Amino acid sequence: MAQAAHTLDHPKPLGHGVKRHTGLMDWITTVDHKKIAILYLWAGGFFFGIGGIEALLIRWQLIKPMNNFLDAQTFNELITMHGTTMIFLGVMPVIFALMNAVIPLQIGARDVAFPFLNALGFWTFLFGGVLLNLSWVMGGAPDAGWTSYTPLSTSAYSGTHGVDFYTIGLQIAGLGTLIGGINFLATVITMRAPGMSFMRMPMFAWTTFITSAIILFAFPAITVGLVLLTFDRILGANFFEPGAGGSPVLWQHIFWIFGHPEVYILILPAFGIISEVIPTFARKRLFGYSSMVFATILIAFLGFMVWAHHMFTTGLGPVANALFAVSTMLIAVPTGIKIFNWLFTMWGGSVRFTTPNLFASGFIPTFTMGGVTGVMLASAPADFQFHDTYFVVAHFHYVIVGGLVMGLFAGLHYWWPKMFGRMLSETLGKWTFWTFITGFHLTFFVQHFLGLMGMQRRVFTYLPNQHFDTLNLVSTIGAGLMGVGTLIFLANIVITSRKPMDAANDPWEDGRTLEWSIPSPPPEYNFKQTPLVRGLDALWKEKVAGNKGMTPAEPIGPIHMPSATPLPFIMSVGIFIAGLGFMFSRDDFGGGFVSFLFNNYIVTGLGLLITFGAMLMRSLYDDHGWHIEPEELEGR
Amino acid sequence: MMRTWHSARRLLPLIAVFGTVLAGCGREDLSVLRPQGPAAESSLGLMKLAISIMIVVLLIVFSIAAYVMIRFRRKPGQNEIPEQIEGSFKLEVLWTVIPLILVIVLAVPTVRTVFALGDNHSGDKNAIKVKVTGHQYWWEFEYPDYGIKTAQDLIIPAGKNIAFELATKDVLHSFWVPSLSGKIDTNPTGATNRFSFSAPKEGVYRGKCAELCGPSHGFMEFKVKAVSNDEFKQWIKAQKAPAVLPEDPALAQTFKEQCLKCHAVGDQGLSVGPNLTGIGSRESVAGILLNDDTRQDGAPVEENLKTWLHDTQGVKPGNLMPDPKQDMGLTDDEIDRIADYLAGYKLN
């Protein structure tokens, strides 16, 4: 793997009593944000691949009417897992990968505020994701849609353990997200370099900060919802059981009170990435920086007030529908501000179309198309028609794929040299861009019309003679092209990993922010001396002043580092075992020892014991970390 | 002024083309873009307003994007540093205020239409009351004022307001007839929904379930048949007439003992499963096998009934009807004769 050389790059310090791990143990025990970023990237990329294969299977089934490539049950499992995997296990971890790789560097910090928690967040996400995907081989995947509406998702109508894997897998993975969110809030608030006031922070740091705040408020809602649904399914509670006084509509509220802010958790980081890439390659500072900050905060705020626009057809009545329609439309205003600010950043600039900037430039019109259909959907009486049709499918893929995924591609190509010390091939990058964006529009543009012509979403097949056939064929061809684009990107990664690690500190030459002032990849302590920040675009400011690099804010001295530890990994293994044990606690294993273990919650208890034991160890055993001495820094 | 009008006139053919394309989009009995009733028309009206505003927005964004990307591209050898502009208060106010105005332009008719469509005619004496019940995977229609129930085909008098009351017996479904109206969910009782639409023109309209409800969600289709007032009255009468049972007493006995344990015909049987009264004159079998003697869209009704009764799980995976052969012990011959009997059970 490309990053193996990363550790070799830094000679082992001698005589400090620090246990250095190598190979697999290094990855399991690391608390270094740069390595955790790489872990997030590989794990997120892996799940992204699974979600992508699921998408291709779905599209292959829909290529022609009354196709029998997949049966109905498998199809429902695939759509459920495609949505769940892509959102929770695909794009969110890749967002966290970029946040981890970039944020400490951008704010001039040596790590995140809580390195131990950072590792714990990654491992709970990974084990949650693995648990969820184990459902494929352990009796059937969840089949009630990624929204898991009750009563379809209750044990009465979804008899397999599928939805249990969904509730418990997401619960564990969600723990990781919540931990990550809290960590980045604390990091941005407390770890900024001297001189970096909030209004001098790079836009990506701002959007990470706001995203983390949304996570902090939105994830508790889904946590509660998942606990209630778990209790309904496994312990026979009746929160959502209409026959026993529960309410299925309650689940919809809980889900969307989380679910809509989640959309902004996904898109705000992409806004941040675009706001970094465009100024760099236009050689011009971000137009209207303060209105960008203001718009980000406003979007996050309004994002919590619009959840019921997912429920216009639930029957909430005209007053609720009117209010939520208007509040939803208002989000168009701050979003519009952002679009025009990006365009006017390029205006008068000197724009270079590298791969990252191609993705960023493709992002603007594509995301705008997703945005305008969003406003159309906000109009409740029109939504009575749009809702649950392919129009909605087209809309949210324009926002999430055309917006977020394009943003992630821009960010990955942009920061790849910083993360791995190697430039991705520009030629292959451009091929990735053109195949991906062409495939994307082919796949999803026609779906607007499918929806308007009466094709509802989540149907495993459709009757002929409804004018659906050609458009579905086009859509499937487009999906294939997106697959090709992704494969070219993978090929690019493999080819690049065989090249020498020779990226310069500032490989794009026009870097504006702090991460471009240090080597690529950075040493494990990031900054030999914490930099002094003298304005927005700190590095650019020094360049313009004719300085070679940043002015240090401190003399060279010993650098305190956190110790590597396997505890986060062990804690997550414990939760994983406890989750599996709880899920199967009511199963009949034909009596005998296995039944005894599961039915008496012994497996669950064992898992929790491992987790709490590891927590106890962490609490009782004081680890003060270690220091890198100045002579080692100089010797480098 | 003149010049604006001229350039606008140049756009007219474009708008006309756009209009024809939209009108050509989809079947008349299915497409949102070809509304056949006032409710669907008001939804489409809002859509047209929204899409017009949005196309203007898109044109502006695309033009500026194309302009900056071409005009400000870095040429070979170009190395000067562009002026670092912080922003522009005037411009930023401009692109805050204009979207705000556009939002208001869309919000006002939206709110007005929300309340207009909120009129569910539940207290309207002239409206026809229909109770819709969603089942995995079929639709039950009850006419409380006439004391009748039917399934899969919703018969309504053209031009009259229909006052719907919707609920589900199991999971959530969503009742959607795109060419007549937007959709509304069927919730469990306690969260019963009411809404209303009308079909001014006689005809058959396609309806679908729009909320994921299990494996056969995509096959939970139904038809709305708008007929003249007289035909409607006649249909009510025929529906209330005493049941017609198979002529062969042995077959009639099997039919009663097996089928009527769940189904009903006329005044006999139970309404656990779909009511079968007059099933021979319906538009489809099981909602998904379209009856069409010309074989363009489907097959003749007796053939569809046989397809269905011989392989219910194959036609509609996950449906709850016991298999006539495996579970009820009917012979192939009995199944075929029941199919023939049902195909002949017509209401006109």
Side-chain angles (χ1 to χ4, degrees), chain A residues 66 72-73 76 79-80 143-145 147 149-152 157 242 248-249 252 280-292 312-319 321-323 325-326 329-330 332-333 336-341 343-344 346-353 360-362 364-366 368-369 371-373 375-376 378-389 449 451-468 510 512 537 540 544, chain B residues 21-22 24-27 30-34 39-40 42-44 46-47 50-51 54 57-58 60-62 64-75 78-88 91-92 95-97 99-100 103 106-107 109-111 113-115 117-118 136 168-172 174 176-189 191 193 206 208-221 223 287-290 296-298 317:
Chain A
M66 298 306 279
Q73 176 63 27
N76 283 0
I79 55 157
T80 305
D143 56 2
T147 50
Y149 272 17
T150 55
L152 185 63
Y157 298 102
V249 178
Q252 298 177 23
T280 301
F281 294 106
R283 274 192 179 161
K284 210 167 145 268
R285 67 173 276 168
L286 186 64
F287 193 92
Y289 170 84
S290 36
S291 67
M292 287 298 241
F312 281 149
T313 65
T314 301
L316 301 178
V319 177
N321 284 357
L323 280 173
V326 175
M329 287 179 194
L330 284 178
V333 178
I337 293 177
K338 280 181 172 278
I339 304 258
F340 286 107
N341 278 340
L343 290 177
F344 277 78
M346 287 197 245
W347 191 292
S350 165
V351 186
R352 205 171 125 216
F353 286 98
S361 311
I364 297 175
T366 311
T368 311
M369 289 170 75
V372 298
T373 50
V375 182
M376 292 173 66
S379 180
D383 182 70
F384 295 160
Q385 291 285 22
F386 297 138
H387 186 75
D388 269 339
T389 69
F449 296 94
L452 292 172
M453 284 157 63
M455 182 162 167
Q456 72 279 49
R457 67 190 278 214
R458 293 168 165 173
V459 292
F460 86 103
T461 191
Y462 48 92
L463 288 177
N465 296 331
Q466 299 189 97
H467 303 211
F468 296 170
D510 290 318
R512 308 175 73 86
D537 294 336
W540 180 264
V544 172
Chain B
V21 168
L22 277 188
C25 260
R27 294 171 61 108
L30 176 65
S31 176
V32 169
L33 301 171
R34 306 179 69 182
S42 63
S43 285
L44 185 66
L46 272 175
M47 279 180 211
I51 192 83
M54 295 313 152
V57 172
L58 285 180
I60 294 171
V61 171
F62 285 10
I64 299 178
Y67 178 74
V68 294
M69 283 173 202
I70 295 164
R71 168 74 181 75
F72 299 108
R73 179 180 261 291
R74 194 178 306 173
K75 280 125 205 137
Q78 182 186 357
N79 213 19
E80 77 276 16
I81 301 299
E83 194 192 342
Q84 304 291 306
I85 301 161
E86 258 188 57
S88 154
L91 277 176
E92 285 167 60
W95 60 62
T96 309
V97 171
L100 204 56
V103 162
L106 184 60
T110 293
V111 172
T113 318
V114 165
F115 284 96
L117 289 180
Q136 277 179 327
T168 177
K169 264 278 183 305
D170 36 56
V171 302
L172 304 185
S174 197
W176 187 34
V177 195
S179 59
L180 292 180
S181 162
K183 60 189 75 62
I184 192 147
D185 294 357
T186 63
N187 299 323
T189 30
N193 278 325
R206 292 193 176 200
K208 301 191 174 215
C209 173
E211 181 67 65
L212 179 66
C213 58
S216 278
H217 159 58
F219 286 164
M220 196 173 154
E221 302 206 348
K223 303 285 176 297
I288 197 73
L289 301 170
L290 305 183
Q296 269 184 331
D297 258 350

Side-chain angles (χ1 to χ4, degrees), chain A residues 27 29 35 47 64 75 108 125 150 189 255 281 312 328 364 457 459 469 487 518 523 547 568 589 624:
Chain A
W27 291 103
T29 58
K35 284 185 187 163
F47 287 122
K64 61 176 190 200
F75 184 87
F125 139 68
T150 55
I189 293 172
F255 186 85
F281 294 106
F312 281 149
T328 304
I364 297 175
R457 67 190 278 214
V459 292
D469 309 5
L487 287 179
I518 52 174
N547 298 336
F589 292 94
H624 296 290

Side-chain angles (χ1 to χ4, degrees), chain A residues 232-308:
Chain A
D232 267 17
R233 287 183 56 91
I234 296 179
L235 303 179
N238 43 34
F239 294 101
F240 308 118
E241 205 69 60
S247 165
V249 178
L250 175 66
W251 167 263
Q252 298 177 23
H253 281 294
I254 294 176
F255 186 85
W256 290 116
I257 283 173
F258 147 78
H260 198 81
E262 169 70 16
V263 176
Y264 296 102
I265 293 171
L266 299 179
I267 198 64
L268 289 184
F271 287 173
I273 294 167
I274 303 301
S275 305
E276 299 294 324
V277 171
I278 287 181
T280 301
F281 294 106
R283 274 192 179 161
K284 210 167 145 268
R285 67 173 276 168
L286 186 64
F287 193 92
Y289 170 84
S290 36
S291 67
M292 287 298 241
V293 172
F294 167 75
T296 308
I297 297 171
L298 199 61
I299 290 172
F301 180 74
L302 287 173
F304 278 95
M305 324 238 151
V306 298
W307 80 88

Side-chain angles (χ1 to χ4, degrees), chain A residues 352-424:
Chain A
R352 205 171 125 216
F353 286 98
T354 56
T355 307
N357 203 31
L358 269 182
F359 274 107
S361 311
F363 168 96
I364 297 175
T366 311
F367 177 77
T368 311
M369 289 170 75
V372 298
T373 50
V375 182
M376 292 173 66
L377 284 161
S379 180
D383 182 70
F384 295 160
Q385 291 285 22
F386 297 138
H387 186 75
D388 269 339
T389 69
Y390 263 86
F391 189 90
V392 174
V393 177
H395 159 71
F396 67 69
H397 281 98
Y398 262 86
V399 179
I400 294 179
V401 184
L404 170 60
V405 174
M406 297 262 277
L408 289 178
F409 270 127
L412 286 173
H413 283 93
Y414 180 56
W415 281 304
W416 199 270
K418 191 48 69 183
M419 288 176 79
F420 295 101
R422 299 172 172 91
M423 292 285 273
L424 285 170

